[in-house]
Amino acid sequence: MLIDMHIHEKTYSDDSFIELQEIIRQARSMGLDGICITDHDSMGLVDKAAHVSREMNFPIFVGAEVLTYQGDILVFGVDHIPGEMMQAQQLIDWTNQRGGVAISAHPYRKNGRGIGDGLFSLKGLAGIEGLNGSTPFHLNAQARETALAMDIPLLGSSDAHHLERVGMYATRFEGRVRDMKDLTEGIKAGRVSPVHYTGGTYRSYDDYFHREMAV
């Protein structure tokens, strides 16, 4: 299954310009099998997402992009997020204790929201966003190298705030993802790989890497 793991919807992310229904229509047109809504420090879209998912017959998984003192972490599989800002390790531990997964978002982005090489000191991360659609190639490449060095699964996502960015990068899951349990277990088991959209289809991270290196 192909799932865009990191999308912002305008209701709870004030830097987004896209509504849930149009995100789904775009995702479906690109061949995605599901989407994740990861608004900034909010899971407020849960109820609406459940309703729209049934109405449009399209899987929607709601997590959150949570800002820690070290940078952003995507969390999935929890029913709420902490009410106060945490250290990155605290948030990872908090998420794991509740059976969820914590993923480092765009770790090498240079805007104060990437954890960077601080990743090497963290324990319990379930994955690293190695393809982020709002991050330059060389910084995505750094994330890839760190994930390989740490032997942590790589994931891909658009980090879309505008409609045309939805689905440009995504994650391929081995097997079916029916619910949040399937999503989190797939990540924990490493049954995931990042992909990019080009020429009307999704291709592997290696294809993306070699194409960009050749430019």
Side-chain angles (χ1 to χ4, degrees):
M1 288 187 69
L2 293 164
I3 301 174
D4 188 338
M5 298 292 297
H6 182 174
I7 302 174
H8 295 273
E9 202 269 358
K10 65 187 295 184
T11 307
Y12 293 97
S13 287
D14 58 12
D15 58 350
S16 176
F17 300 89
I18 41 179
E19 296 180 344
L20 189 55
Q21 288 87 346
E22 62 181 348
I23 293 170
I24 292 171
R25 287 191 288 270
Q26 178 74 359
R28 182 172 270 147
S29 75
M30 297 181 72
L32 287 174
D33 301 300
I35 58 169
C36 294
I37 300 298
T38 50
D39 288 318
H40 297 292
D41 301 302
S42 174
M43 293 180 65
L45 209 68
V46 168
D47 291 339
K48 179 180 179 180
H51 173 75
V52 172
S53 178
R54 290 190 299 268
E55 182 179 69
M56 298 186 71
N57 190 30
F58 195 82
I60 305 170
F61 306 96
V62 178
E65 183 177 26
V66 180
L67 179 61
T68 71
Y69 286 105
Q70 287 73 38
D72 284 325
I73 291 178
L74 302 176
V75 298
F76 295 99
V78 296
D79 60 7
H80 67 285
I81 58 173
E84 68 285 334
M85 196 169 180
M86 288 183 167
Q87 302 291 332
Q89 188 64 63
Q90 282 182 291
L91 180 63
I92 294 166
D93 293 343
W94 182 93
T95 302
N96 290 340
Q97 287 163 8
R98 287 157 178 79
V101 294
I103 298 161
S104 173
H106 44 66
Y108 289 96
R109 188 181 291 175
K110 306 300 184 183
N111 64 347
R113 300 187 73 107
I115 293 174
D117 283 342
L119 289 172
F120 289 102
S121 67
L122 298 177
K123 306 297 181 184
L125 266 180
I128 291 175
E129 200 176 49
L131 267 184
N132 175 280
S134 297
T135 300
F137 164 72
H138 69 287
L139 300 181
N140 279 330
Q142 274 188 274
R144 174 180 182 264
E145 291 304 311
T146 295
L148 292 173
M150 295 177 67
D151 194 25
I152 289 179
L154 274 168
L155 295 99
S157 54
S158 68
D159 194 1
H161 296 69
H162 296 84
L163 187 61
E164 66 273 12
R165 300 304 298 169
V166 171
M168 295 308 296
Y169 301 100
T171 296
R172 188 186 304 279
F173 282 75
E174 299 172 18
R176 190 176 177 190
V177 180
R178 298 159 295 187
D179 51 29
M180 185 63 79
K181 183 173 183 288
D182 285 347
L183 185 95
T184 57
E185 287 185 354
I187 295 168
K188 290 176 184 178
R191 297 193 298 268
V192 292
S193 57
V195 293
H196 73 120
Y197 188 82
T198 184
T201 191
Y202 283 96
R203 300 183 185 275
S204 71
Y205 192 109
D206 285 344
D207 175 83
Y208 161 82
F209 187 78
H210 294 307
R211 286 163 66 99
E212 293 293 329
M213 288 293 289
V215 172

